[in-house]
Amino acid sequence: MTQALDKPLRENPIAASVDFLRDGVQHGHLKLPYSRDDSAWGAVMIPICVVKNGDGPTALLTGGNHGDEYEGPVALSRLAQELRAEDIRGRVIIVPFMNTPAFLAGKRTSPIDAGNLNRSFPGRPDGTVTQKIADYFQRTLLPLADVVLDIHSGGRTLDFLPFAACHVLPDKAQQEASEALMRAFAAPFSMRMLELDAVGMYDSAAEEQGKLFVTTELGGGGSSSAHTVAIARRGVRNVLVQAGILRGDLEPAQSVMLDMPDGDCFVASEHGGLLEMCRDLGERVEHGEVLARVHDVLRTGTAPVEYRARRSGILAARHFPGLVQSGDTLAVVAEVLD
């Protein structure tokens, strides 16, 4: 967002009930005034926890960037209950339900303004509710942080192999340090991730400010499992240890390194209908192999449309659940690096 030199950005209306400079454990809210039919002087209340102990690096930990993804909210809610100031050196800022309106609705986007928070950065202090939340993170929370971990999964429409991810960055020192945090997370898979469109993403906002950034995709289908929550809980603590904030040792686990080198990793549907997956997550696929079929749901006797792998690798993501629309991503094939 470009601003005229003589027209500075206005102050964000969000007010924090926590003191980011005070030592100890604090639980509070980011209060965003929101006038609506059922509450003329109402507010969106975004829960936040701050744990601080003296000087040291700051980690900003977020879940619920999309409201139908649950590993992050569960793991970070548990961390906010358990973390003690004496266990850390520095500061941990925990926002388990980043897009609270979307989270409460169980939707990817906000029911207030249809805003996708992870495509709304840098936001606007005078914009929609979602844009105001993005602006607060952009101009208030991200500048406080050294390390940023944003926990995602596939939500209701995708399912993933559980992986931690970072991006290829122009600053190779920043990329190397981010990759070290990604490996420390110790998900079953680690991914150098390709974004089809990174404009407006929280990832890009953090990286452009020079922060060490790690994200995840830990499952999907609009729920979580004991397995994926355990991966998230271990990974969060490992990242804090690796960053020098949490006292203790890393809890290692084997992780397979994956890469998404180009757009051939993605297979998208050009038809709507009934999805038949022909390979399961984690299976090896070869270039040209049939990954999925889309069946006509308006008539019988019509042959399904076949969709084939555009490269060899393993199936890292798939559409979820069983009906697809034209334009949906059906599958992602990633290369195995080690």
Side-chain angles (χ1 to χ4, degrees), residues 141-276:
L141 294 185
L142 281 176
L144 297 176
D146 301 289
V147 171
V148 181
L149 171 62
D150 189 34
I151 303 176
H152 284 262
S153 62
R156 292 183 297 172
T157 63
L158 287 169
D159 196 11
F160 287 90
L161 291 178
F163 64 77
C166 63
H167 299 102
V168 176
L169 301 173
D171 184 329
K172 295 308 174 185
Q174 181 187 9
Q175 178 182 328
E176 182 177 346
S178 296
E179 285 199 11
L181 291 171
M182 174 191 70
R183 290 181 181 273
F185 190 97
F189 297 87
S190 299
M191 177 81 78
R192 291 195 186 101
M193 200 166 178
L194 172 67
E195 302 289 355
L196 289 178
D197 182 7
V199 174
M201 293 187 70
Y202 183 48
D203 314 39
S204 302
E207 290 162 350
E208 287 168 2
Q209 290 190 27
K211 312 305 178 182
L212 305 185
F213 181 84
V214 179
T215 188
T216 70
E217 298 290 357
L218 295 181
S223 188
S224 62
S225 68
H227 176 60
T228 55
V229 168
I231 293 169
R233 281 174 52 77
R234 179 185 65 215
V236 169
R237 289 186 171 274
N238 277 353
V239 165
L240 293 177
V241 171
Q242 178 70 22
I245 297 173
L246 179 64
R247 295 182 174 90
D249 299 321
L250 293 173
E251 184 181 343
Q254 184 176 5
S255 185
V256 177
M257 189 69 194
L258 304 176
D259 189 22
M260 294 166 60
D262 54 44
D264 283 346
C265 296
F266 296 86
V267 178
S269 180
E270 297 179 0
H271 304 81
L274 172 65
L275 174 63
E276 175 195 353

